[in-house]
Amino acid sequence: MTAIPRFTGDANPYGGGDPYADHRTADFPFTHHANLADRHLGAGVIAANDEFFAHRENLLLPGRAEFDPEHFGHKGKIMDGWETRRRRGASAEHPWPTADDHDWALVRLGAPGVIRGIVVDTAHFRGNYPQAVSVEATSVAGSPSPEELLRDDVKWTTLVPRTPVGGHAANGFSVAVEQRFTHLRVNQHPDGGIARLRVYGEVVPDPAWLSVLGTFDVVALENGGLAEDASNRFYSPAGNTIQPGRSRKMDDGWETRRRRDQGHDWIRYRLAAQARIRALEIDTAYLKGNSAGWASVSVKDADDGDASDWREILPRTRLQPDTNHRFVLPTPAVGTHARVDIFPDGGISRLRLFGSLTEEGARRLAARHQELGG
């Protein structure tokens, strides 16, 4: 894997114009994974030891951090991020923070899973960013309170050791820990501000929960589905189509560029596990002049001897703009992967595949869950 650039030291003071013009970033190799700390999935910053200048909840806001150089409040500059007060030493003789001084925030992941990479973005924190950051993770069942997570008997695993970071930069860290985690503890040493936190990884659902549900959306991101590949991601990611809830606006779905050939566009998905699909939905919410004209859905079973064969379960069907289309299959379809093809281009906002896991699918999912410490 290509080494991830490290951004250390101050950025230049803001000189006017586009505040992102000198923002330092890179193409990180793990960002094709889902953001497990997405608010749409239910993630939250549940506690912080200090948020004097800027609220901890800003860490998980979607989109880039905003910057208004004229925006000040009673406590000082208003920043779109999480910012703590300046730490001080114990006395006039020792006015500096100690080596162990740090601020922390507890993050509940929206979907538990295996973490592949983390981005700590200090956008617009040019002279007030932390000297270093570290990130730890734990797996605690249920809905623990901050007090429960901070108990001495909770085991935390270091994902990012204490590492220098740069101001006004997206600082990326690859993670190679094969465990399922539910919560993070983000530390900044000794103090400062972080604009955004992104936690990229693979969702690992609780098999006991899915078993109780019986019939559920077997391609949904929160249930362990994944958009593996797509023909085109020009306007928006293919992974949007398996996000929770209905689309909230046009770019909350998947939209391709306009084709000028005789081809068509598609998305390929991996299901939560081998499943028996009984019904499906294709939603074009908010796609009014740019929805797909027609769509078809196919599945394949990688556990089958001939896993290269795609079997069409919904023939090419006319779609209406800004409409949720529902289809009951005449016979259930078994598969581990699914594919939606749209003709000729355009987009859909959501795909739902309703079914239940097969005995083999449930067995394999439970085995993986146990292997990852779930």
Side-chain angles (χ1 to χ4, degrees), residues 183-243:
H183 294 78
L184 297 186
R185 183 163 61 192
V186 181
N187 307 302
Q188 44 182 343
H189 308 266
D191 53 39
I194 298 170
R196 294 290 188 269
L197 176 74
R198 302 294 185 243
V199 183
Y200 297 98
E202 302 170 22
V203 176
V204 180
D206 181 353
W209 175 252
L210 298 184
S211 175
V212 169
L213 292 180
T215 297
F216 60 93
D217 182 0
V218 298
V219 76
L221 176 61
E222 60 189 323
N223 294 331
L226 174 68
E228 289 188 320
D229 198 6
S231 60
N232 188 276
R233 304 177 181 88
F234 189 83
Y235 286 112
S236 46
N240 282 355
T241 59
I242 54 175
Q243 286 277 358

Coordinates of all heavy atoms in Angstrom, one line a residue, residues 183-243:
H183 N -16.9 1.8 19.8 CA -16.7 3.1 20.3 C -15.2 3.5 20.1 O -14.3 2.6 20.1 CB -17.0 3.3 21.8 CG -18.5 3.1 22.1 ND1 -19.1 1.9 22.2 CD2 -19.4 4.0 22.4 CE1 -20.4 2.0 22.5 NE2 -20.6 3.3 22.6
L184 N -15.0 4.8 20.0 CA -13.6 5.3 19.9 C -13.4 6.4 21.0 O -14.3 7.0 21.5 CB -13.4 6.1 18.6 CG -13.4 5.3 17.3 CD1 -13.0 6.1 16.1 CD2 -12.6 4.0 17.3
R185 N -12.1 6.5 21.4 CA -11.7 7.6 22.2 C -10.6 8.4 21.5 O -9.5 7.9 21.2 CB -11.1 7.1 23.6 CG -10.7 8.2 24.5 CD -10.6 7.7 26.0 NE -9.6 6.7 26.1 CZ -9.4 6.0 27.2 NH1 -10.3 6.1 28.2 NH2 -8.5 5.1 27.3
V186 N -10.9 9.6 21.1 CA -10.0 10.5 20.3 C -9.4 11.4 21.3 O -10.0 12.2 22.0 CB -10.8 11.3 19.2 CG1 -9.9 12.1 18.4 CG2 -11.6 10.3 18.3
N187 N -8.0 11.4 21.3 CA -7.2 12.2 22.2 C -6.4 13.3 21.4 O -5.9 12.9 20.4 CB -6.3 11.3 23.0 CG -7.0 10.2 23.7 OD1 -7.9 10.4 24.5 ND2 -6.5 9.0 23.4
Q188 N -6.4 14.5 21.9 CA -5.5 15.5 21.3 C -4.6 16.0 22.4 O -5.0 16.2 23.6 CB -6.3 16.7 20.7 CG -7.4 17.2 21.5 CD -8.1 18.4 20.7 OE1 -7.5 18.9 19.8 NE2 -9.3 18.7 21.1
H189 N -3.3 16.0 22.1 CA -2.2 16.2 23.0 C -1.5 17.6 22.7 O -1.1 17.7 21.6 CB -1.1 15.1 22.9 CG -1.7 13.7 23.0 ND1 -1.7 13.0 24.2 CD2 -2.2 12.9 22.1 CE1 -2.2 11.8 24.0 NE2 -2.5 11.7 22.7
P190 N -1.4 18.5 23.6 CA -2.1 18.5 24.9 C -3.5 19.1 24.8 O -4.3 18.9 25.7 CB -1.2 19.4 25.7 CG -0.7 20.4 24.8 CD -0.5 19.6 23.5
D191 N -3.8 19.9 23.8 CA -5.1 20.6 23.6 C -5.2 21.0 22.2 O -4.4 20.7 21.4 CB -5.2 21.8 24.6 CG -4.0 22.7 24.5 OD1 -3.5 23.0 23.4 OD2 -3.5 23.2 25.5
G192 N -6.3 21.8 21.9 CA -6.4 22.4 20.6 C -7.7 22.1 19.9 O -8.7 21.9 20.6
G193 N -7.7 22.0 18.6 CA -8.9 21.8 17.9 C -8.8 20.9 16.7 O -7.8 20.8 16.0
I194 N -9.9 20.1 16.5 CA -10.1 19.2 15.3 C -11.4 19.6 14.7 O -12.4 19.7 15.3 CB -10.1 17.7 15.8 CG1 -8.8 17.4 16.5 CG2 -10.4 16.8 14.6 CD1 -8.8 16.0 17.2
A195 N -11.4 19.7 13.3 CA -12.6 20.1 12.6 C -13.5 18.9 12.3 O -14.7 19.0 12.6 CB -12.2 20.8 11.3
R196 N -13.0 17.8 11.8 CA -13.8 16.7 11.4 C -13.1 15.4 11.7 O -11.8 15.3 11.6 CB -14.1 16.7 9.9 CG -15.0 17.9 9.5 CD -16.4 17.7 9.9 NE -17.3 18.8 9.4 CZ -17.6 19.9 10.0 NH1 -17.0 20.2 11.1 NH2 -18.4 20.8 9.4
L197 N -13.9 14.4 12.0 CA -13.4 13.0 12.2 C -14.1 12.1 11.3 O -15.3 12.1 11.2 CB -13.6 12.6 13.6 CG -13.2 11.1 14.0 CD1 -11.7 11.0 14.0 CD2 -13.8 10.7 15.3
R198 N -13.4 11.3 10.5 CA -14.0 10.2 9.7 C -13.3 8.9 10.0 O -12.1 8.8 10.1 CB -13.7 10.6 8.2 CG -14.3 11.9 7.8 CD -15.8 12.0 7.8 NE -16.3 13.3 7.3 CZ -17.0 14.1 8.0 NH1 -17.2 13.9 9.3 NH2 -17.5 15.2 7.5
V199 N -14.2 7.9 10.1 CA -13.8 6.5 10.5 C -14.2 5.5 9.5 O -15.4 5.2 9.4 CB -14.3 6.2 11.9 CG1 -13.8 4.8 12.3 CG2 -14.0 7.2 12.9
Y200 N -13.3 5.1 8.6 CA -13.7 4.3 7.5 C -13.4 2.8 7.8 O -12.4 2.4 8.4 CB -12.8 4.7 6.3 CG -13.1 6.1 5.8 CD1 -12.2 7.1 6.1 CD2 -14.2 6.4 5.0 CE1 -12.5 8.4 5.7 CE2 -14.4 7.7 4.6 CZ -13.6 8.7 4.9 OH -13.8 10.0 4.5
G201 N -14.4 2.0 7.4 CA -14.3 0.5 7.7 C -15.4 -0.3 7.2 O -16.2 0.2 6.3
E202 N -15.5 -1.5 7.6 CA -16.5 -2.5 7.2 C -17.5 -2.8 8.3 O -17.1 -3.2 9.4 CB -15.8 -3.8 6.7 CG -14.8 -3.6 5.6 CD -14.0 -4.8 5.3 OE1 -14.4 -5.9 5.7 OE2 -12.8 -4.7 4.8
V203 N -18.7 -2.7 8.0 CA -19.8 -2.9 9.0 C -19.8 -4.4 9.3 O -19.8 -5.3 8.4 CB -21.2 -2.5 8.5 CG1 -22.2 -2.8 9.5 CG2 -21.1 -1.0 8.3
V204 N -19.9 -4.7 10.6 CA -20.0 -6.1 11.1 C -21.2 -6.2 12.0 O -21.2 -5.8 13.2 CB -18.8 -6.6 11.8 CG1 -19.0 -8.1 12.3 CG2 -17.5 -6.5 11.0
P205 N -22.4 -6.6 11.5 CA -23.6 -6.5 12.3 C -23.7 -7.6 13.3 O -22.9 -8.6 13.3 CB -24.7 -6.8 11.2 CG -24.0 -7.6 10.2 CD -22.6 -7.1 10.1
D206 N -24.6 -7.5 14.3 CA -24.8 -8.4 15.3 C -25.7 -9.5 14.7 O -26.9 -9.3 14.5 CB -25.4 -7.8 16.5 CG -25.7 -8.7 17.7 OD1 -25.5 -9.9 17.5 OD2 -26.1 -8.3 18.7
P207 N -25.2 -10.8 14.6 CA -26.1 -11.8 14.0 C -27.3 -12.1 14.8 O -28.3 -12.5 14.3 CB -25.1 -13.0 13.9 CG -24.0 -12.7 14.8 CD -23.9 -11.2 14.9
A208 N -27.2 -12.0 16.1 CA -28.4 -12.3 17.0 C -29.5 -11.3 16.7 O -30.7 -11.7 16.7 CB -27.9 -12.2 18.4
W209 N -29.1 -10.0 16.4 CA -30.1 -9.0 16.1 C -30.8 -9.3 14.8 O -32.0 -9.3 14.7 CB -29.5 -7.6 16.1 CG -30.4 -6.5 15.7 CD1 -30.4 -5.8 14.6 CD2 -31.5 -6.0 16.5 NE1 -31.4 -4.9 14.5 CE2 -32.1 -5.0 15.7 CE3 -32.0 -6.3 17.7 CZ2 -33.2 -4.2 16.1 CZ3 -33.1 -5.5 18.2 CH2 -33.7 -4.5 17.4
L210 N -30.0 -9.7 13.8 CA -30.6 -10.0 12.5 C -31.5 -11.2 12.5 O -32.5 -11.3 11.9 CB -29.5 -10.1 11.5 CG -28.6 -8.9 11.2 CD1 -27.6 -9.2 10.1 CD2 -29.4 -7.7 10.8
S211 N -31.1 -12.2 13.4 CA -31.9 -13.4 13.5 C -33.3 -13.1 14.1 O -34.3 -13.6 13.7 CB -31.1 -14.4 14.4 OG -31.9 -15.5 14.6
V212 N -33.3 -12.2 15.1 CA -34.6 -11.8 15.7 C -35.4 -11.1 14.7 O -36.7 -11.2 14.6 CB -34.3 -10.9 16.9 CG1 -35.6 -10.3 17.4 CG2 -33.7 -11.8 18.0
L213 N -34.8 -10.2 13.9 CA -35.6 -9.5 12.9 C -36.3 -10.4 11.9 O -37.4 -10.1 11.4 CB -34.7 -8.5 12.1 CG -34.1 -7.3 12.9 CD1 -33.2 -6.5 12.0 CD2 -35.2 -6.5 13.5
G214 N -35.6 -11.5 11.5 CA -36.2 -12.4 10.5 C -36.0 -11.8 9.1 O -35.0 -12.1 8.5
T215 N -37.0 -11.1 8.7 CA -37.0 -10.5 7.3 C -36.4 -9.0 7.5 O -36.9 -8.3 8.3 CB -38.3 -10.4 6.7 OG1 -38.8 -11.8 6.4 CG2 -38.3 -9.7 5.3
F216 N -35.4 -8.7 6.8 CA -34.8 -7.4 6.9 C -34.1 -7.0 5.5 O -34.1 -7.8 4.6 CB -33.8 -7.3 8.0 CG -32.6 -8.3 7.9 CD1 -31.4 -7.9 7.2 CD2 -32.7 -9.6 8.3 CE1 -30.4 -8.8 7.1 CE2 -31.7 -10.5 8.2 CZ -30.5 -10.1 7.6
D217 N -33.6 -5.8 5.4 CA -32.9 -5.4 4.2 C -31.5 -6.0 4.2 O -30.6 -5.5 4.9 CB -32.9 -3.8 4.1 CG -32.3 -3.3 2.9 OD1 -31.9 -4.1 2.0 OD2 -32.2 -2.1 2.7
V218 N -31.3 -7.0 3.3 CA -30.0 -7.7 3.4 C -28.9 -7.0 2.6 O -27.8 -7.5 2.7 CB -30.2 -9.1 2.8 CG1 -31.2 -9.9 3.6 CG2 -30.7 -9.1 1.3
V219 N -29.2 -5.9 2.0 CA -28.1 -5.1 1.4 C -27.8 -3.8 2.1 O -26.9 -3.1 1.7 CB -28.5 -4.8 -0.1 CG1 -29.5 -3.7 -0.3 CG2 -27.2 -4.5 -0.9
A220 N -28.6 -3.4 3.1 CA -28.4 -2.2 3.8 C -27.1 -2.1 4.5 O -26.6 -3.1 5.0 CB -29.5 -2.0 4.9
L221 N -26.5 -0.9 4.4 CA -25.1 -0.7 5.0 C -25.1 -1.1 6.5 O -24.2 -1.7 7.0 CB -24.7 0.7 4.8 CG -23.4 1.2 5.4 CD1 -22.3 0.4 4.8 CD2 -23.2 2.7 5.2
E222 N -26.2 -0.6 7.2 CA -26.2 -0.9 8.7 C -26.3 -2.4 9.0 O -26.0 -2.8 10.1 CB -27.3 -0.1 9.3 CG -28.7 -0.5 8.8 CD -29.8 0.5 9.3 OE1 -29.7 0.9 10.5 OE2 -30.7 0.8 8.5
N223 N -26.8 -3.2 8.0 CA -26.9 -4.6 8.3 C -25.7 -5.4 7.7 O -25.7 -6.6 7.7 CB -28.2 -5.1 7.6 CG -29.4 -4.6 8.3 OD1 -29.4 -4.3 9.5 ND2 -30.5 -4.5 7.6
G224 N -24.7 -4.7 7.2 CA -23.5 -5.3 6.7 C -23.4 -5.4 5.2 O -22.4 -6.0 4.7
G225 N -24.3 -4.8 4.5 CA -24.2 -4.7 3.0 C -23.1 -3.8 2.6 O -22.6 -2.9 3.3
L226 N -22.7 -3.9 1.3 CA -21.6 -3.1 0.8 C -21.7 -2.8 -0.7 O -22.0 -3.8 -1.4 CB -20.2 -3.8 1.1 CG -19.0 -3.1 0.5 CD1 -18.7 -1.8 1.2 CD2 -17.8 -4.1 0.6
A227 N -21.6 -1.6 -1.1 CA -21.5 -1.3 -2.5 C -20.1 -1.5 -3.0 O -19.2 -0.7 -2.7 CB -21.9 0.2 -2.8
E228 N -19.8 -2.6 -3.6 CA -18.4 -3.0 -4.0 C -17.8 -2.2 -5.1 O -16.6 -1.9 -5.1 CB -18.4 -4.5 -4.3 CG -18.5 -5.4 -3.1 CD -18.3 -6.9 -3.5 OE1 -18.7 -7.3 -4.6 OE2 -17.7 -7.6 -2.7
D229 N -18.6 -1.9 -6.1 CA -18.1 -1.3 -7.3 C -19.3 -0.7 -8.1 O -20.5 -1.0 -7.9 CB -17.4 -2.3 -8.2 CG -16.5 -1.7 -9.2 OD1 -16.3 -0.4 -9.2 OD2 -15.9 -2.4 -10.1
A230 N -18.9 0.3 -9.0 CA -20.0 1.0 -9.8 C -19.3 1.4 -11.1 O -18.1 1.7 -11.1 CB -20.6 2.1 -9.0
S231 N -20.1 1.5 -12.1 CA -19.6 2.0 -13.4 C -19.3 3.5 -13.4 O -18.4 3.9 -14.1 CB -20.7 1.7 -14.5 OG -21.9 2.4 -14.2
N232 N -19.9 4.3 -12.5 CA -19.7 5.7 -12.5 C -20.1 6.3 -11.2 O -21.2 5.9 -10.6 CB -20.6 6.3 -13.7 CG -20.2 7.8 -13.9 OD1 -20.8 8.6 -13.2 ND2 -19.3 8.1 -14.8
R233 N -19.3 7.2 -10.7 CA -19.6 7.9 -9.4 C -19.4 9.4 -9.6 O -19.0 10.1 -8.7 CB -18.7 7.4 -8.3 CG -18.7 5.9 -8.1 CD -17.7 5.5 -7.0 NE -17.6 4.1 -6.7 CZ -16.9 3.2 -7.4 NH1 -16.1 3.6 -8.4 NH2 -16.9 1.9 -7.1
F234 N -19.8 9.9 -10.7 CA -19.4 11.3 -11.1 C -20.0 12.3 -10.1 O -19.4 13.2 -9.6 CB -19.9 11.6 -12.5 CG -19.4 12.9 -13.0 CD1 -18.1 13.0 -13.5 CD2 -20.1 14.1 -12.9 CE1 -17.6 14.2 -14.0 CE2 -19.7 15.3 -13.4 CZ -18.4 15.4 -13.9
Y235 N -21.3 12.2 -9.8 CA -22.0 13.2 -9.0 C -22.1 12.8 -7.5 O -22.2 13.6 -6.6 CB -23.4 13.5 -9.5 CG -23.4 14.3 -10.8 CD1 -23.8 13.8 -12.0 CD2 -23.0 15.6 -10.8 CE1 -23.8 14.5 -13.2 CE2 -23.0 16.4 -11.9 CZ -23.4 15.8 -13.1 OH -23.3 16.6 -14.3
S236 N -22.2 11.5 -7.3 CA -22.4 11.0 -5.9 C -22.0 9.6 -5.7 O -22.0 8.8 -6.7 CB -23.8 11.2 -5.4 OG -24.8 10.8 -6.4
P237 N -21.7 9.1 -4.5 CA -21.2 7.7 -4.3 C -22.3 6.7 -4.5 O -23.4 6.9 -4.1 CB -20.6 7.8 -2.9 CG -20.6 9.2 -2.5 CD -21.6 9.9 -3.3
A238 N -21.9 5.5 -5.0 CA -22.8 4.4 -5.1 C -23.3 4.0 -3.7 O -24.4 3.5 -3.6 CB -22.2 3.3 -5.9
G239 N -22.5 4.1 -2.7 CA -22.8 3.7 -1.4 C -24.0 4.4 -0.8 O -24.6 3.9 0.2
N240 N -24.3 5.6 -1.3 CA -25.5 6.3 -0.8 C -26.8 5.5 -1.0 O -27.7 5.7 -0.2 CB -25.7 7.6 -1.6 CG -24.7 8.7 -1.2 OD1 -24.0 8.5 -0.2 ND2 -24.8 9.8 -1.9
T241 N -26.8 4.6 -1.9 CA -28.0 3.8 -2.2 C -28.4 2.8 -1.1 O -29.5 2.3 -1.1 CB -27.9 3.1 -3.5 OG1 -26.8 2.2 -3.5 CG2 -27.7 4.0 -4.7
I242 N -27.5 2.6 -0.2 CA -27.8 1.6 0.9 C -27.7 2.3 2.3 O -27.6 1.6 3.3 CB -26.9 0.3 0.8 CG1 -25.4 0.7 0.8 CG2 -27.3 -0.5 -0.4 CD1 -24.5 -0.5 0.9
Q243 N -27.7 3.6 2.3 CA -27.8 4.3 3.5 C -29.1 4.2 4.2 O -30.1 3.9 3.5 CB -27.5 5.8 3.3 CG -26.0 6.1 3.0 CD -25.2 6.3 4.2 OE1 -25.6 6.1 5.3 NE2 -23.9 6.5 4.0

